[in-house]
Each structure stands twice: as C-alpha cells, then as structure tokens.
Amino acid sequence: MDLKNTTAPVNTVTYNRDQIEEPTGNIYEAITIMAKRATQINTEIKKELIEKLEEFATYNDSLEEIFENKEQIEVSKFYEKLPKPHALAVKEWLEGKVYHREAK
C-alpha cells in the first residue's frame, strides 16, 4: 500500500449511499466489507509503524537518559497525518479495488 500518494480524505466526507451499496446491493453488507478492509489496513499501518520505530529503539535500563530522536518524531508525525483506515477502505471500495465474494 502506498501511503504517501493516497488521495483519501483526511476529514469526514459524506458519500452517496447508492454508490456505496451498488457492488453488493445491500448497504449493510457493503459497510461490513469496508469495516473488515479498514481493520486490515489498520493492521498493515501499525505493523509498518512498529517496524520503523524499532530502528530507533534504544534498550537502556537507565531512566536518567532520555533522548529525543528527531527521525523518530518525524516518522510519528507522518503516520499521525495519514488518512484514517476507514477513509482508505471507503476510497478503495468506491474505486472497486476491494475483492469480495458471497459466503455460502
């Protein structure tokens, strides 16, 4: 997932209900699928963030020395400014990038 080039909205947006339910014909099913995708996106983002922050981790038992790592702060700020996972999931859904199938 390319988080740097995403065009998902950062703020709350009102969507057309007909566009949301069009692929499934059921608004509740569409919302459930998008919620599951948002959970997947959140897991991916969290994993990526933890991996990047591990690079800056210092395992020191001394509480007296606390360093402010500028790179770590920049990484954290980048992830704070990203669109929320649900916004990314809705954008993917509307663009037809989410695969779904009916369970039998």
Side-chain angles (χ1 to χ4, degrees), residues 41-88:
I41 291 170
N42 188 45
T43 303
E44 292 173 15
I45 291 173
K46 187 174 182 180
K47 181 181 174 186
E48 188 177 309
L49 175 61
I50 290 172
E51 287 175 359
K52 288 187 179 186
L53 291 179
E54 280 292 319
E55 296 174 11
F56 305 112
T58 57
Y59 301 101
N60 192 355
D61 292 338
S62 174
L63 294 175
E64 296 171 2
E65 296 181 20
I66 299 176
F67 296 103
E68 287 189 19
N69 192 332
K70 194 170 189 174
E71 292 85 12
Q72 184 177 6
I73 293 170
E74 292 300 318
V75 168
S76 296
K77 283 183 180 180
F78 170 76
Y79 281 93
E80 287 175 4
K81 292 178 183 177
L82 286 178
K84 301 296 181 212
H86 68 271
L88 294 167

Side-chain angles (χ1 to χ4, degrees), residues 2-57:
D2 189 14
L3 296 173
K4 291 182 181 179
N5 297 326
T6 186
T7 58
V10 179
N11 297 324
T12 304
V13 176
T14 303
Y15 294 100
N16 184 348
R17 178 178 176 240
D18 295 333
Q19 285 181 320
I20 298 287
E21 72 178 30
E22 183 181 346
T24 61
N26 184 331
I27 189 72
Y28 301 107
E29 187 177 340
I31 290 172
T32 302
I33 294 167
M34 288 185 290
K36 288 179 182 179
R37 179 63 185 137
T39 302
Q40 292 173 343
I41 291 170
N42 188 45
T43 303
E44 292 173 15
I45 291 173
K46 187 174 182 180
K47 181 181 174 186
E48 188 177 309
L49 175 61
I50 290 172
E51 287 175 359
K52 288 187 179 186
L53 291 179
E54 280 292 319
E55 296 174 11
F56 305 112

